[in-house]
Amino acid sequence: MKKFILNSFALSALVIGLSACHELADDNPVYVGHDGQVYEEFLNPPAMQTQYITLSEDIKDGNLHLTGKQPDFGYNAIATYRVQVSLSPNFSDDAWPEGNWIEIQQDFYNLGEINPRNHNLASALERLSGVEDESADEMAKVADYQALYVRLRAFISQTPDNSQFISNVVKFDHVNATYYAVWKVGVPSGIYLRGGFAEGWPALPEYEFYQDEEENTWIMTLPAMLEKGVEFKVADATWGDINYGAASASVAVGESKKLEYNAGNMSLTEDYEGAVHLSLSEGIYYLLFKND
């Protein structure tokens, strides 16, 4: 009898141990990864698919709405999603200008709210259509409604090279553009420096970034000195898709600071007045306090 009781305890311990290991694995999932890109249907048909969509300057800060379901990472991963657009349902291997599609440099994290800016879509449409300037002859290339094809690229930011999924392609039947949206200096970005230098951290016009000389770079000039220790972030007017801070709060003048989505507040290590630079490279925003 004693032997049976001891074996029962041993069996119980084994079951508990195995259960604990299983729970540990569930709590700490590891994505094994894969080589190259995996194609999977995870993008839903858009609600506005058959509507006539005009990308005009007065709605450039609006967006198209897309939704989907997470591809099979093996667990509920925190993934990043990018929108890719083309004038053809058959996306080439290479991106524009060698290929026939453009990836919009805007990150999304919620598959219920994939909302690319109308301005970015208009810019992509014009570049893919060969628009070279804002003359009437060139803008005629995008004046007529045409089909715009969209897909998503999903990846885990920590391991982007071996976690990429490409979605199915969906179609917007009728899209045109009525203003020149290709990158040019001085266009307001809808992105602001927001912080404790103003009560309530509002999105003030004088703290808005404007497009600089190189694509995906922005600049603004501080209207007043930003004092050491005053907290701030980089965000849009609604604290929506653009809401960036940093894992480390300290920002040194003259050193580029890597930003992270929905991360903590930042502050300068010394007083500063002058130019503030924002740039986007491979999906990552960088902030720089430096006078040229």
Side-chain angles (χ1 to χ4, degrees):
M1 180 61 118
K2 288 183 179 179
K3 184 177 181 180
F4 176 79
I5 292 173
L6 288 172
N7 286 342
S8 297
F9 277 124
L11 181 60
S12 297
L14 177 62
V15 171
I16 291 171
L18 289 173
S19 176
C21 289
H22 178 70
E23 289 175 2
L24 184 62
D26 288 344
D27 292 340
N28 298 278
V30 176
Y31 179 62
V32 176
H34 55 256
D35 294 328
Q37 298 175 335
V38 172
Y39 292 83
E40 184 175 314
E41 290 201 14
F42 60 90
L43 179 58
N44 296 330
M48 297 178 64
Q49 181 171 4
T50 61
Q51 296 185 26
Y52 285 80
I53 300 169
T54 294
L55 301 172
S56 58
E57 190 165 14
D58 60 327
I59 60 166
K60 65 185 179 71
D61 292 323
N63 53 67
L64 289 185
H65 181 58
L66 297 164
T67 63
K69 59 182 184 296
Q70 188 173 93
D72 187 14
F73 289 107
Y75 66 99
N76 189 23
I78 299 175
T80 301
Y81 301 91
R82 297 264 190 88
V83 175
Q84 298 178 347
V85 298
S86 178
L87 301 181
S88 168
N90 302 311
F91 284 61
S92 58
D93 291 336
D94 296 321
W96 181 90
E98 289 79 14
N100 68 357
W101 56 271
I102 289 173
E103 180 172 279
I104 294 174
Q105 296 297 299
Q106 186 178 2
D107 292 343
F108 299 97
Y109 305 94
N110 179 358
L111 271 168
E113 296 290 341
I114 305 293
N115 301 320
R117 287 183 67 215
N118 289 341
H119 183 74
N120 293 337
L121 291 167
S123 176
L125 176 65
E126 291 167 12
R127 283 184 286 170
L128 291 169
S129 299
V131 174
E132 296 182 359
D133 56 50
E134 51 193 321
S135 66
D137 287 344
E138 289 296 309
M139 289 303 297
K141 297 176 181 178
V142 291
D144 294 333
Y145 289 103
Q146 58 185 309
L148 188 67
Y149 297 88
V150 176
R151 68 182 186 182
L152 297 182
R153 179 169 72 95
F155 58 94
I156 298 172
S157 60
Q158 294 86 348
T159 56
D161 293 335
N162 68 342
S163 63
Q164 294 189 74
F165 285 85
I166 301 297
S167 79
N168 53 301
V169 176
V170 299
K171 177 186 178 186
F172 288 93
D173 293 342
H174 315 283
V175 183
N176 74 343
T178 59
Y179 76 106
Y180 188 61
V182 175
W183 193 271
K184 59 182 178 180
V185 175
V187 175
S189 66
I191 304 173
Y192 303 82
L193 194 72
R194 303 178 63 173
F197 45 80
E199 185 176 357
W201 290 47
L204 298 173
E206 57 266 36
Y207 285 90
E208 183 175 10
F209 287 92
Y210 285 76
Q211 290 178 183
D212 205 356
E213 294 181 359
E214 295 185 15
E215 189 163 357
N216 291 324
T217 66
W218 301 265
I219 189 171
M220 57 92 78
T221 300
L222 291 169
M225 179 178 289
L226 182 56
E227 296 180 355
K228 171 185 176 181
V230 174
E231 294 186 336
F232 57 84
K233 295 185 79 173
V234 173
D236 56 30
T238 64
W239 298 105
D241 294 320
I242 305 295
N243 179 5
Y244 285 87
S248 172
S250 297
V251 179
V253 172
E255 295 183 8
S256 183
K257 184 72 171 182
K258 179 181 177 181
L259 304 184
E260 298 180 27
Y261 180 73
N262 209 26
N265 299 339
M266 299 172 285
S267 63
L268 289 173
T269 57
E270 61 184 271
D271 295 346
Y272 178 79
E273 56 183 337
V276 186
H277 305 266
L278 181 67
S279 60
L280 178 65
S281 176
E282 297 183 349
I284 298 174
Y285 283 97
Y286 297 88
L287 187 65
L288 175 63
F289 291 81
K290 183 179 180 182
N291 287 311
D292 295 329

